[in-house]
Structures are given as C-alpha cells and as structure tokens.
Amino acid sequence: MPRRPTSDEATRAARFFLESFIVKTDSQDHILPKNDTFSPFSGFCRVFPQFAKKKDGGSATDGVSRAAFNKICLEYFEEGMRKPARNGNPGALEANLAQQRRHFLRGRWRDPAYPEDLAALTQLWSSMVAEQVAASAALLEDFSRWKPGPAGRGGERQSRKRGSDGEGDSDDNASECGEARREGSEQGAGGVSPARKRVCGAW
C-alpha cells in the first residue's frame, strides 16, 4: 500500500508552530534537542497531534513525520553536536539530556515569564482554540525547565574563553606577580619561590 503523502495543512502547521513558539537567537548557548523529550517535534505532537504522523506520536495518517519535521527545522536552525551543561538541567529532568547529541542551534522556547514573549504569545493565543491554548501554555511551562546553560563544544562560554585566553592569563599573572613582589620586598628575593619568579620574570 503506498504511503500517504504529508498534507499541505500539516506542513503549514509545522511551520506555524516553529515560528510561533520558538525564537531564533544569536547565542550558541540556546540549543534545542533534536530528538529528545524536549525536542521541537515532541512539542508539536503535544499542541497539534492532529497534524503529526501517527507512528511518531501524533494522530494523523497524513501528518508530518519526525524526520520531515526535523528537515523543516533545518530551514530555520543549524544543527550540531552539543553537550549541555549538567548544572543547566534540574534534577527532575532525564539524566541522559546532559550527554553529547544532536541539537538545533541558536533557538529557544518562548517563555511567558519574559514580557516580550508574553506579549507575542497573548496575541497568538487570541487566534487559537482553547484546547490549543491550554496545550501550548502547558508545553511552554514544561519546556521552560529545559535551560541547558553553556552549550558545551562550540558554546558561547567556550568561545569567549578561547578569545580571551591571553587576556585572562595576563590578569591572573599580574595579580600573582603583584603578590610575589610584596613578598620579595618583605622577605627578600629568597622568600619568593623559583616557580613564581619564572612566571613573573625579574623585577
């Protein structure tokens, strides 16, 4: 039996979901799991199950499959391997979310706690049926717990660190040398360790 093609309505619903509930950002610390509980497709199934493929958790025979949905996601976000920081995940979340795996990059869920997001959501919800409003509000409440923190490999914090290594080392050395000089003036040169002399050089 031939496979039923994805309906145009289901494809439009997928794009509507991505554009409405996820914000594109410039931060590499904002990442979205590709296939986990907190993935965009998982959220899509919760809000619009009638447009998601039955075999992938939805209720439609002509709905969007997980693979097709993730392909649409790539029109909005880049994809990469990331390992979210463990301290970014509350203990109630699944432990394996801190493992390195594929994520969509530079995207975050809208958060009703942010005034700008709340304003956008309020306008959006006014055009949705009550069932979808309740489902999406519950989704965002649950998914707002997914705060991965620094995005691991390639994350913003690591980039900043790499870009300022020399500056950071210089500041650390300056602090250490200042302390060593004070020791030297109080105790004489013999009171300062050879290792610290090598770091600071002659003074």
Side-chain angles (χ1 to χ4, degrees), residues 22-32 76-78 82 103-109 114 147-160:
I22 299 176
V23 180
K24 294 176 70 174
T25 77
D26 294 326
S27 174
Q28 293 193 52
D29 281 354
H30 290 152
I31 58 177
L32 303 167
Y76 296 84
F77 309 102
E78 296 178 20
R82 293 293 185 272
H103 289 77
F104 296 115
L105 312 180
R106 301 183 185 89
R108 66 168 179 84
W109 293 101
Y114 297 160
K147 298 183 187 298
R153 176 182 169 190
E156 185 173 329
R157 182 173 295 181
Q158 282 197 344
S159 296
R160 285 201 302 268

Side-chain angles (χ1 to χ4, degrees), residues 16-193:
F16 173 81
F17 178 84
L18 290 171
E19 295 170 4
S20 301
F21 298 107
I22 299 176
V23 180
K24 294 176 70 174
T25 77
D26 294 326
S27 174
Q28 293 193 52
D29 281 354
H30 290 152
I31 58 177
L32 303 167
K34 183 178 179 180
N35 293 309
D36 291 318
T37 304
F38 294 87
S39 67
F41 182 74
S42 177
F44 179 68
C45 288
R46 288 179 55 172
V47 180
F48 298 114
Q50 72 273 28
F51 295 123
K53 201 81 168 179
K54 200 170 196 177
K55 69 179 181 66
D56 289 333
S59 60
T61 55
D62 60 350
V64 179
S65 67
R66 178 184 294 275
F69 186 92
N70 285 342
K71 188 174 181 179
I72 294 174
C73 285
L74 291 175
E75 298 176 17
Y76 296 84
F77 309 102
E78 296 178 20
E79 179 183 351
M81 296 294 290
R82 293 293 185 272
K83 180 178 180 180
R86 288 184 181 277
N87 60 8
N89 301 313
L93 299 185
E94 301 162 34
N96 66 354
L97 292 181
Q99 297 177 359
Q100 181 159 302
R101 58 187 60 214
R102 292 195 173 277
H103 289 77
F104 296 115
L105 312 180
R106 301 183 185 89
R108 66 168 179 84
W109 293 101
R110 285 200 182 277
D111 188 343
Y114 297 160
E116 185 178 347
D117 284 351
L118 180 59
L121 289 168
T122 300
Q123 183 177 0
L124 174 69
W125 285 332
S126 67
S127 65
M128 297 171 63
V129 301
E131 186 179 83
Q132 293 171 345
V133 172
S136 59
L139 165 77
L140 295 176
E141 181 179 356
D142 289 345
F143 281 27
S144 66
R145 296 180 302 153
W146 170 244
K147 298 183 187 298
R153 176 182 169 190
E156 185 173 329
R157 182 173 295 181
Q158 282 197 344
S159 296
R160 285 201 302 268
K161 185 176 180 181
R162 284 197 301 269
S164 60
D165 276 347
E167 182 180 345
D169 291 346
S170 177
D171 291 344
D172 291 343
N173 289 347
S175 176
E176 184 174 352
C177 290
E179 184 180 346
R181 290 189 182 95
R182 285 193 296 274
E183 289 178 7
S185 62
E186 292 173 2
Q187 304 174 17
V192 181
S193 71

